[in-house]
Structures are given as structure tokens and as C-alpha cells.
Amino acid sequence: MMNDIFDVNNIEFNSNTKTKDEALQFIASFAENAGIVKSAKAYYKGLKKREKEVTTGFKDGIAIPHSKHKTVIKPALMLMKYDHPIEWESMDDKPVHITFALAIPEGKNQEHLKVLSTISRALIDEDFTNSILAASSKEDMYQLVQGKLSDLND
């Protein structure tokens, strides 16, 4: 199940995004184009709503925006790396370079909570965080994240 949530095509490098709002729009468009959500607009609204509740800016340049919404067709983890640091009201006030974005279908599926906690735990590991920030290819990023997610299958 976990392996369906994340694959190498869910990773994107983005050079244009400069604001949190643009980042959320980019994630939403990406999700629609990838067939993860029916509507980029609806998913974007869900992401915005989540950010209003509490920032998803984690620490060390990483944010975990997510939304549980009826527009989501299938659960997915998307990984975006930005060329420009993005102001995200993070817990440590540092700008964001990478987002781990989650799209979660409505319903009783708790799978996303496992993914969320796995990613959150992984980000406490400085080696993992530094590696992901330094990664320069989709394949490198994929291997790093897949290594953490595979722990869930054990």
C-alpha cells in the first residue's frame, strides 16, 4: 500500500516559485496533472485551509503541506524542491526549500497518518534532512524517501 503512495514521478524540481501561495498552487496543479486529484482548485483550497489552522512549515527548510479532501482520487506523497527559499512561517522561522505534500482522500483511511508521522520522524534525523536538501536528482530523493517509507512495510 505504502509504495503506491509515492513514486519517482511524484518528485518535481521547481525554479519559478517564490511564495508560499505559489508553492501551494504549484503542488495543486502538479497533483491534478498527475491524476492524484480531480480539481487543482479544490485541492489548493484544501491546502490553504490547512495552512490557516496551523503552519505546515516544519524546520530546517522543510514543510509538509497536506489536505484531506473529496477531490483527491488516490492518496499520494509529492516531493517538491524549490530553487528559491520560500517564506513559510515555519516553526524555526527558516525559509522552505522542500515540501513533502500529501493528498489524502476523504474517508476512514488512516494510512496518511502513518506517512505523515514517518516523514515527521525522518525529518528529526539530521542526516536524512541534510541528504534530502543536498539531493540534486529525482532518483536520489526517491531513494532517500523510499528508504524511510519502506520501514513502514516491515
Side-chain angles (χ1 to χ4, degrees):
M1 170 63 206
M2 296 311 297
N3 297 342
D4 306 341
I5 285 183
F6 183 62
D7 77 48
V8 73
N9 298 318
N10 289 12
I11 301 172
E12 196 60 56
F13 288 75
N14 178 286
S15 57
N16 304 324
T17 300
K18 293 186 174 72
T19 67
K20 181 177 180 175
D21 199 59
E22 285 175 5
L24 295 176
Q25 285 178 28
F26 176 74
I27 291 164
S29 299
F30 179 91
E32 185 181 67
N33 293 336
I36 293 164
V37 302
K38 289 187 230 78
S39 161
K41 195 173 167 187
Y43 180 53
Y44 166 72
K45 279 185 178 162
L47 290 170
K48 289 280 283 188
K49 184 169 175 265
R50 180 65 189 74
E51 290 294 333
K52 279 198 183 85
E53 289 164 18
V54 62
T55 182
T56 60
F58 195 65
K59 62 184 188 63
D60 300 325
I62 293 172
I64 315 175
H66 52 282
S67 173
K68 188 173 188 173
H69 199 281
K70 62 180 181 288
T71 193
V72 178
I73 300 164
K74 59 180 185 186
L77 171 65
M78 297 160 280
L79 186 51
M80 311 294 167
K81 186 163 190 174
Y82 306 98
D83 287 358
H84 305 284
I86 298 170
E87 185 44 58
W88 208 283
E89 296 100 42
S90 299
M91 293 176 193
D92 61 2
D93 289 328
K94 287 184 183 167
V96 162
H97 295 277
I98 288 179
T99 54
F100 286 87
L102 275 169
I104 305 143
E106 275 188 337
K108 61 189 184 305
N109 185 338
Q110 296 300 301
E111 207 67 38
H112 72 281
L113 293 175
K114 290 183 198 156
V115 177
L116 205 53
S117 68
T118 300
I119 296 297
S120 303
R121 273 201 309 275
L123 294 174
I124 293 165
D125 173 357
E126 270 181 44
D127 292 338
F128 173 76
T129 303
N130 292 336
S131 300
I132 209 98
L133 287 166
S136 57
S137 76
K138 288 185 183 187
E139 288 69 30
D140 289 353
M141 293 180 95
Y142 177 74
Q143 294 301 334
L144 284 163
V145 174
Q146 202 53 44
K148 292 293 183 182
L149 290 180
S150 64
D151 298 347
L152 282 176
N153 296 329
D154 300 344

